């Protein structure tokens, strides 16, 4: 695996790969890698891609300074995992490399409705930061395929919109299912910060999502939404949302709809840790 810290050097290297007919598969991450990230690397490799992973803890997408400062960093272990997975290139830039003119000068994008709901509403400025960094990374890496995780459902939709805004019609976006721990907790870098008792409770988000799915046949979302809110509160969570939405455009739904593909989404805090999860309803 070749490690680059400078964008220009990575670009020169990838130019030669593209001239030699390699297809570039790109997996952007913030590091503290786990099996969920590696599943994206595996997907790219299985599709025959020349696999480029980036690790960059992007300051502009953290609306909460403490969350940024306490975000786990484990670069040596990450490199080892990427080597084991057969990743071809790791891009490991500094903040200055990604924002040479400062974070304020970097281009921002308008995601409209998507930025006003759920994660957008609860994390002001978050998607602005995501747009900045993904726009910059796409410009450097110019991948054929971009690999994302369903774990960040709304982010996937924002990045699809970014693709549209940037006119990258040839870019293939591949969304992979969420990898989970045995008890159902979605794998996440932030899970490392959970204390043992918090960790024991954290799978409750997934259990709530399953109950939203199961109770679809009963047909009253507001009842199961209240049950989930009450249960999470009783166990010490601070719930930000328990929501049901159209899976295609994230239009929020008050109730289950027949013939609409639906996604249930939850965000809740336990102690200092903010957890999110979602499932597509069958
Ligand atoms: P992050 O490092 O959290 O920014 O995540 C980098 C990429 O990995 C994003 O596309 C995430 O959606 C994806 N990802 C994170 N957690 C998981 C998971 N548990 N399963 C699959 N993909 C994931």
């Amino acid at each position: 695996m070749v490690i680059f810290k400078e964008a220009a050097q990575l670009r020169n290297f990838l130019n030669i790969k593209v001239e030699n007919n390699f297809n570039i598969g790109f997996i952007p991450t913030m590091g503290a890698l786990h099996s969920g990230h590696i599943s994206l690397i595996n997907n790219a490799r299985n599709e025959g891609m020349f696999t480029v992973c980036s690790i960059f803890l992007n300051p502009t997408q953290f609306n909460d300074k403490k969350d940024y400062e306490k975000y786990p960093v484990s670069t040596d272990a990450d490199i080892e995992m990427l080597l084991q997975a057969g990743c071809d290139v790791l891009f490991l830039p500094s903040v200055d490399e990604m924002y040479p003119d400062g974070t304020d000068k970097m281009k921002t994008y308008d995601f409209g409705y998507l930025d006003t709901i759920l994660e957008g509403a609860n994390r002001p400025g978050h998607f602005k930061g995501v747009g900045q960094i993904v726009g910059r990374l796409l410009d450097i890496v110019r991948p054929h395929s971009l690999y994302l995780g369903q774990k960040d459902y709304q982010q996937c939709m924002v990045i699809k919109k970014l693709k549209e805004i940037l006119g990258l019609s040839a870019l293939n976006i591949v969304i992979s299912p969420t990898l989970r721990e045995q008890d159902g907790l979605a794998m996440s870098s932030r899970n490392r910060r959970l204390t043992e008792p918090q960790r024991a409770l954290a799978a409750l988000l997934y259990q709530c999502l399953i109950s939203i799915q199961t109770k679809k046949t009963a047909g009253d979302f507001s009842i199961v939404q209240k049950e989930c809110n009450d249960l999470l509160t009783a166990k010490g969570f601070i719930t930000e949302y328990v929501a049901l939405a159209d899976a295609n455009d994230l239009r929020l739904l008050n109730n289950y709809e027949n013939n609409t593909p639906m996604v249930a989404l939850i965000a809740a805090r336990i102690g200092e840790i903010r957890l999110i999860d979602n499932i597509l309803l069958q």
Side-chain angles (χ1 to χ4, degrees):
M1 181 168 74
V2 193
I3 302 180
F4 291 91
K5 295 195 167 183
E6 289 174 19
Q9 286 185 6
L10 172 63
R11 190 57 249 154
N12 288 339
F13 180 83
L14 292 178
N15 280 341
I16 296 164
K17 290 292 167 193
V18 172
E19 276 164 25
N20 285 289
N21 297 320
F22 284 85
N23 286 321
I24 311 295
F26 180 42
I27 302 95
T29 81
M30 296 200 299
L33 300 184
H34 50 67
S35 306
H37 295 115
I38 298 303
S39 74
L40 305 185
I41 306 277
N42 291 339
N43 290 347
R45 280 172 48 80
N46 291 339
E47 291 183 358
M49 295 287 149
F50 186 79
T51 307
V52 179
C53 175
S54 65
I55 295 180
F56 180 64
L57 196 52
N58 175 35
T60 71
Q61 73 187 69
F62 285 83
N63 53 311
D64 176 354
K65 198 166 169 250
K66 234 185 186 176
D67 186 28
Y68 175 60
E69 284 164 0
K70 294 201 170 170
Y71 200 87
V73 175
S74 56
T75 312
D76 290 347
D78 293 351
I79 291 173
E80 193 52 44
M81 282 179 88
L82 291 172
L83 279 170
Q84 294 290 331
C87 182
D88 295 300
V89 167
L90 168 60
F91 183 40
L92 196 59
S94 65
V95 172
D96 286 345
E97 186 67 16
M98 295 313 283
Y99 297 104
D101 303 319
T103 50
D104 297 345
K105 297 259 164 57
M106 182 64 75
K107 200 165 173 185
T108 58
Y109 304 94
D110 182 3
F111 300 113
Y113 168 73
L114 281 177
D115 202 11
T116 64
I117 53 156
L118 307 175
E119 292 300 283
N122 284 280
R123 300 186 66 189
H126 170 62
F127 286 129
K128 185 175 152 212
V130 168
Q132 280 183 320
I133 195 61
V134 176
R136 172 97 170 104
L137 285 167
L138 289 177
D139 187 44
I140 296 166
V141 179
R142 297 179 214 156
H144 298 84
S145 295
L146 177 66
Y147 294 85
L148 305 172
Q150 189 201 312
K151 159 88 188 342
D152 298 281
Y153 195 88
Q154 194 173 357
Q155 175 171 279
C156 290
M157 300 198 69
V158 162
I159 293 175
K160 281 184 180 170
K161 175 104 189 174
L162 180 67
K163 167 186 152 156
E164 206 182 288
I165 295 170
L166 295 173
L168 301 173
S169 50
L171 175 67
N172 182 29
I173 296 185
V174 184
I175 298 175
S176 303
T178 304
L179 248 73
R180 300 180 178 282
E181 304 290 354
Q182 267 191 352
D183 64 353
L185 173 65
M187 289 184 183
S188 164
S189 306
R190 288 186 178 87
N191 293 351
R192 292 187 195 182
R193 293 188 53 216
L194 294 168
T195 62
E196 228 172 89
Q198 288 170 344
R199 172 64 191 86
L201 291 172
L204 201 56
L205 269 76
Y206 182 63
Q207 287 154 19
C208 286
L209 290 170
I210 293 293
S211 81
I212 294 171
Q213 158 129 295
T214 312
K215 292 180 181 169
K216 186 177 136 182
T217 37
D220 193 336
F221 176 64
S222 63
I223 293 176
V224 56
Q225 184 185 39
K226 185 173 180 323
E227 283 168 1
C228 291
N229 271 314
D230 290 350
L231 187 59
L232 286 162
T233 305
K235 297 287 182 186
F237 288 83
I238 296 175
T239 308
E240 290 189 0
Y241 56 81
V242 174
L244 185 66
D246 184 323
N248 288 328
D249 55 15
L250 230 53
R251 172 178 58 96
L252 296 175
L253 303 175
N254 292 323
N255 205 356
Y256 299 107
E257 286 183 3
N258 287 330
N259 308 319
T260 300
M262 289 178 287
V263 59
L265 311 101
I266 295 187
R269 289 174 187 279
I270 183 144
E272 281 188 346
I273 316 300
R274 185 175 186 275
L275 300 171
I276 60 168
D277 201 353
N278 69 82
I279 51 168
L280 289 163
L281 300 199
Q282 312 285 347

